[in-house]
Amino acid sequence: MSFIPNTGAERAEMLKAIGVSSVEELFSDIPAHLRIKGLDLPEGISEIEALDAVDSLAERNVQTKKMDWFLGAGAYYGYIPAVVPALAGRGEFLTAYTPYQPEVSQGTLQAIFEYQSMAAKLLGMSVVNASHYDGATALAEAVLMAWKARDNRPRILLPADLHPEYKQVIETYCTSFGIEFVQYEGAPEAASFDEKTAAIVIAYPGFSGEVYPIRKAADRAHEAGALCIVQADPVMCALMKSPGEQGADIVSAEGQSLGNPLNFGGPYLGIMGTTEALVRRMPGRIVGETKDKNGKRGFVLTLSTREQHIRREKAVSNICSNQGLSMLQTCIYLATLGKQGLKEVARQSYDKAHYAAELIDRIEGYRVRNSQFFREFLVETPKPASQIVKTLSRMGIMPGLALSRYYPERTNELLVCVTEMNTRAQIERLAAALKEASK
Amino acid sequence: MAIDKNARYLESHEYAKPSGEYMVFGISDHAQAELGDVVFVELPSVGKTVTKGAIFGTIESVKAASDLYAPISGTVVEVNEAVKNDPSLVNKDCYGTGWLVKVAPSNPSEFQSLLDPAAYGKTIGEE
Amino acid sequence: MNTINMRDEPLVYELSRAGRTGCSLPRSDVPEYAVPGELVREELDLPELDELTLVRHFTRLSQKNFSIDTEFYPLGSCTMKYNPKVNEVAASNPGWKNLHPLVGDENAQGALELMWRLQEGLREVGGFAAASLQPAAGAHGELSGVLMISAALRARGDEGRKKMLIPDSAHGTNPASCTMAGFVTQTIPSGPDGNIDMTALKAALDETVAGIMITNPNTLGLFETNIEEICRLVHEAGGYVYGDGANMNALAGVFKPGSSGIDVMHFNLHKTFSTPHGGGGPGAGMIAANTSLAPYLPGPIVVKDGDAYRLAMPPKSIGRVKAFYGNFGVLVRAYMYLLMMGADGLRGVAENAVLNANYLKSLVEDVYPVPYKRRCMHEFVAKGTVAEGVHTLDIAKRLIDYGFHPPTIYFPLIVQEALMIEPTETESKETLDLYADALRRIAAEAATQPELLHEAPHDAPVARLDEVMAARYPILCYRG
């Protein structure tokens, strides 16, 4: 299968028009000794064969749908209404490029503007950009943005309770700048702010699921001349106060749970929002509303002087692409669920998680560690959590994440996630199985 | 292109113009024409010090961004808020209402070292 | 005549009516728990639409786009080739969509095997020792690559080397990536033949050089004929060579960048390997390296132990550049493509991409001046200087009226009034003939009716938009 329309006769005709005798001649600028005869790969196969090969690999994976699923930890199993992929998968969206020619890209541009609007209102920010690669890179870019906006004050306050992979991505992104990361435990307002602090990062909620209000910490940051960055769960923001309402200057979030499938970790959606005051320091594409010469409303990429294709080495970031389709899925998801639907998803996740925590906390040997949480909580287990995960998996239950995956010394802690997909029966089965496994 | 006779210039097209005991900074008519429609200016706040030859702000059109270099050293005493709200003033009246910042010079003699109107005219190919 | 949807389409907020919804959830079967008072959210301003209104809205929006599925889309440097439909089918298998990234290696053997096979396949295509699928886009691959160079320099006690050389024809992401890795860039000019100016290069190679970033074929669509010599000189000076693989569509199966001395390179799977551009992304920017830089690759990568696959961090890895393992859904599509093309198919891609570009160039170069008189690779750069008072922008906008997406314009920066045209191998000769015909007709119009061009497009949902107003008084969020 090659998808190449040129026939032999056409190739001959085209070569003649160019004035060469062979295709090989077209490659004459490549030094002859560097030109290869072929690749050490199998020959191409048909669509049927390729699909069979890939489908058979897909079948060798464990799937959320076939188990009672309580594993989250940064990637969430939520419902995606059928209209979301049906509309986002339309060829006109799927096979368009970045909307650099606005007159023939109004579809993509207006969808981005709608996404920006809905995401901004959800997070309580003035502006959201057209997206980053994922929540972790959005947070890393937020840290760099704050560091530069605060005249390179060297210190960033990071919560100990932050997704470990996010922490690692921040470290990678900041390798070259001598930024000093100071870790704080517990409530963010108790962190130590000083004149060297550029920003505080608040995880809302933390990796453990624990939720701390933001307002006091934001005020303390501002008094110290620092910025307040919030890494938010966007679904939680439908039920609990948004970061913007509580004084955040920059918000990053993982948008996967807003209408994007798990896909073994990607593509996901890095949401980033900020205030009007900081918008010209924000990385990423931004779409703005304007008018054409006849006064008709239209949308364009704007504030482009921040970006690499204009500012080059002085750009605020090197980011070029956005997660277009993931963003579009989220745009359609937010419009589909709307005000009531998203609240209901958040409400059910919250209630079901609290119901599960209540049941588990009652089982001898188990203790729920959180005092305030949304849909995820940390459980102390009587046996190594990795062992419990194995045992329950065999019974068709994925009970959560054994924390030893990231912290080898934390053997007896299990991070349990409950979403709108879980039923009361599943939660009760989980509790029963946990009890059984403790024996 | 207009060249204000009372101002002196950098080759990078910024000017300084005496205004009482202060100096007003802006960009030349030639620079605003080259840049096109100005959409944004970023300027230092009052009280900040600026250093001759160093960047004190940026000025942007839709497809270009230029750093602004200080013609002389000093302390910012006033920022043109009107131009921040309506950057088109730079295009309309770069030597008048489109000025950028007012500075108390730390070394007034630096003014003499700038290009005079005739010398600046030559650098942009005008007599 | 375009098929594009000319009707105005309201915003979702304008279509919203209180009380409507486009979804239903099962009724909750657990008790309700109180949210702490200080955290209760009062207002949530999201739209309320029924499903049909929503379907029409997004369908109509889609119809306001040009796309590969609907129009010829010859954007230079973007490789807008056909995106096979079967790739979408393969990627939508529940075995991928419902696969959680933290299930553990033993529960994701199918996914890990796919990643390993793709890693190995692309390693062979590029001629490198090892690869990582982590980067989510080309620019992300660049950042990873220059961070790898930075780490390797640090490891050998050479952190004082801070100068990265960038040809003047480079994509803007190259210098921007360097800044993010703490390097200072120095621009190297191109010579009269479109290659890197070797004298300027030699002069720049001092003891502060960290390396060079090279796009080959470069953004003029020309093969950098001195590539081996450039790599040798940079290596002798103690630097590394980064390859920007944006233009691999010209080379797969013909030339292996790794064998010319490139130390580390990214592949744009959304270009060469046919995954959809999606109106801006998601891409995938897999990165590959030779033995000197392979230990620094971002991780985790997939390794094979006997019959089993597992995730592992390369020994001196720069770390993670994103959460989890790359844009996996994009990788599935790229792997499908690799399987279907195989060794023979990939060679055919390069041959026909280069053939199509040279053919189209031969049809228009007498009217649109081509500044570098050489055989082009998969794309060529011409100038829109066809008539006094008419600019490249005008030509681009007029192409829309003819039902074609404009080429990349005003890039590379070193060619005034540049039109950068990349037809790709999936376009037929008829399409190329029609496009050339449109370009020639537009050149004739430019001479006789320039206002037709200045006012273009005439046949699009909106006329030229006021970008000055958009940037001066930004409206970035619905204010209803």
Side-chain angles (χ1 to χ4, degrees), chain B residues 72-124:
Chain B
I72 59 166
S73 305
T75 306
V76 177
V77 295
E78 195 181 339
V79 177
N80 188 353
E81 294 298 329
V83 87
K84 283 170 95 175
N85 297 327
D86 180 7
S88 71
L89 292 175
V90 176
N91 298 112
K92 288 176 194 148
D93 187 13
C94 62
Y95 299 115
T97 54
W99 63 278
L100 301 175
V101 293
K102 195 180 276 186
V103 169
S106 53
N107 180 3
S109 68
E110 283 175 350
F111 184 70
Q112 300 308 320
S113 68
L114 298 171
L115 298 171
D116 64 33
Y120 176 67
K122 275 184 195 147
T123 70
I124 58 169

Side-chain angles (χ1 to χ4, degrees), chain A residues 358-405:
Chain A
E358 206 170 272
L359 294 192
I360 294 168
D361 199 46
R362 276 192 223 142
I363 309 169
E364 198 182 325
Y366 292 88
R367 197 168 68 86
V368 172
R369 294 261 300 270
N370 301 64
S371 48
Q372 229 163 237
F373 60 94
F374 170 54
R375 62 176 163 187
E376 210 157 13
F377 53 91
L378 200 56
V379 179
E380 267 176 32
T381 55
K383 285 184 179 168
S386 58
Q387 205 178 309
I388 290 175
V389 170
K390 271 206 181 98
T391 310
L392 267 66
S393 293
R394 282 196 290 269
M395 303 160 65
I397 301 171
M398 179 56 76
L401 180 78
L403 239 59
S404 53
R405 178 180 173 114

Side-chain angles (χ1 to χ4, degrees), chain A residues 136-149:
Chain A
T137 59
L139 177 57
E141 291 256 31
V143 166
L144 283 174
M145 173 181 159
W147 176 70
K148 287 185 257 180

Side-chain angles (χ1 to χ4, degrees), chain C residues 428-452:
Chain C
S428 67
K429 180 173 171 296
E430 302 92 278
T431 301
L432 304 182
D433 289 340
L434 285 171
Y435 193 68
D437 186 50
L439 277 173
R440 299 182 74 92
R441 282 210 256 166
I442 290 169
E445 289 171 355
T448 55
Q449 303 162 268
E451 68 288 350
L452 255 185

